[in-house]
Amino acid sequence: MGREGRGKLQDFWTSLKKTGKGILMMDYDGTLAPIDAHRKQAFPFPGVRERVRKITRSPDCRLVIVSGRWTTELVGLLDLDPVPEIWGCHGMERLHPDGLLETGDLHEQEILGLVEADRWAISEGLKEISEKKPGCVALHYECDETLGPELKERARKTWARIARNRGLDVHEFHGGIELRPPGYDKGNVVNTLLSESEGDPVAVFLGDGLSDEDAFRAIKGRGLGILVSQEWRPTEAQAWLKPPGQLLDFLDTWSEICGGEN
Ligand SMILES: [Mg+2]
């Protein structure tokens, strides 16, 4: 991050100190937890859980997890009490802090497309790396190093065809592809959260992957997008943190400003 990015972060802290009200939106995999080929064991970086717990208990600042994963998986991996607000499956699911779970609607054609994509994956012997979740189906190439480029190309073409026929969108992410209905992405989650927020809170979105770019675009002009990554890359984010050290420092600074109980 250049001087401009550091300046944006400084301005952000100054605004948060002034208002005392903030909304902290964060992706999970690659942001709060290392990317792990064993997805069921991708626990948060050491030190993250305590900090997230503290911020969740802060009365004036809101913490929201926004992920492509299923909310039930995130609840298990985060292992937090209280459970923070979690948007799963790119906004298809919203788990409120009081435990209420909202789920988005799917049209019949979309459901048929997801089933078709999943069946194709199983028929190609890809069951182990396919992930079924509400409203989406994903193939995690990163979980199987033996996969050749031909199979990946066939998967890409087949899923693109299914998407076209059934009105779904294909998305590439770090290490795989995913099918989901249009309108479900992290940018729309950010738009919803900001439109609901009263009192103009200072807003920030932290993320690492391609699916976070929608959120970075949505927050521009209304808050700060922060890339969490070992390396800088072309992005819509305006600032950069290297995990886990700078991420933990960021969460500590947030707690200092917004308070929160241990
Ligand atoms: Mg991520």
Side-chain angles (χ1 to χ4, degrees):
M1 175 171 59
R3 197 177 298 165
E4 196 194 334
R6 277 194 292 274
K8 291 240 191 282
L9 202 49
Q10 269 315 321
D11 292 347
F12 171 79
W13 292 131
T14 306
S15 305
L16 188 60
K17 274 181 199 152
K18 216 181 280 173
T19 64
K21 282 192 184 305
I23 174 160
L24 170 55
M25 298 169 275
M26 297 186 285
D27 165 54
Y28 183 75
D29 292 271
T31 301
L32 296 180
I35 298 276
D36 195 318
H38 304 286
R39 289 176 42 79
K40 299 247 151 78
Q41 286 152 43
F43 298 109
F45 290 115
V48 161
R49 204 174 263 135
E50 300 86 307
R51 286 163 173 85
V52 169
R53 182 183 294 122
K54 190 173 174 187
I55 295 170
T56 304
R57 290 177 178 179
S58 138
D60 292 324
C61 290
R62 193 167 161 203
L63 180 146
V64 186
I65 307 291
V66 184
S67 168
R69 272 195 200 249
W70 201 339
T71 51
T72 82
E73 277 186 11
L74 289 163
V75 169
L77 290 167
L78 282 163
D79 190 21
L80 283 171
D81 182 18
V83 176
E85 179 173 345
I86 301 175
W87 290 66
C89 305
H90 305 275
M92 179 60 73
E93 290 189 307
R94 179 181 196 176
L95 180 63
H96 293 265
D98 64 4
L100 174 74
L101 179 67
E102 287 182 86
T103 312
D105 292 326
L106 282 173
H107 300 303
E108 190 185 351
Q109 286 299 315
E110 293 167 345
I111 296 170
L112 291 172
L114 295 171
V115 170
E116 197 181 335
D118 180 55
R119 284 198 181 141
W120 178 85
I122 292 170
S123 73
E124 292 283 339
L126 301 174
K127 186 164 185 269
E128 289 302 311
I129 63 157
S130 96
E131 180 193 18
K132 272 181 285 192
K133 47 191 177 172
C136 331
V137 52
L139 280 181
H140 292 272
Y141 301 147
E142 85 271 23
C143 297
D144 184 353
E145 288 172 0
T146 64
L147 278 191
E150 304 82 20
L151 190 52
K152 288 182 190 173
E153 182 58 16
R154 205 157 68 242
R156 197 182 60 74
K157 281 189 175 155
T158 307
W159 280 26
R161 178 181 50 74
I162 294 171
R164 268 196 312 277
N165 292 343
R166 304 289 190 182
L168 294 161
D169 287 340
V170 189
H171 298 267
E172 297 209 11
F173 61 93
H174 173 89
I177 56 169
E178 182 162 61
L179 272 188
R180 55 181 195 262
Y184 290 97
D185 64 54
K186 293 175 182 176
N188 279 331
V189 175
V190 167
N191 286 333
T192 305
L193 286 167
L194 293 184
S195 68
E196 289 176 353
S197 300
E198 290 171 13
D200 242 353
V202 175
V204 64
F205 188 97
L206 272 66
D208 70 303
L210 289 179
S211 70
D212 300 310
E213 293 296 323
D214 294 320
F216 295 148
R217 260 188 295 277
I219 205 168
K220 247 185 200 171
R222 300 188 284 173
L224 185 65
I226 302 182
L227 178 71
V228 179
S229 174
Q230 292 304 326
E231 308 282 338
W232 176 255
R233 62 167 169 78
T235 174
E236 298 286 338
Q238 294 172 293
W240 174 33
L241 296 174
K242 275 192 194 186
Q246 291 181 346
L247 169 76
L248 297 179
D249 291 346
F250 177 92
L251 296 175
D252 283 338
T253 308
W254 182 286
S255 281
E256 277 164 30
I257 298 172
C258 283
E261 299 161 28
N262 283 309

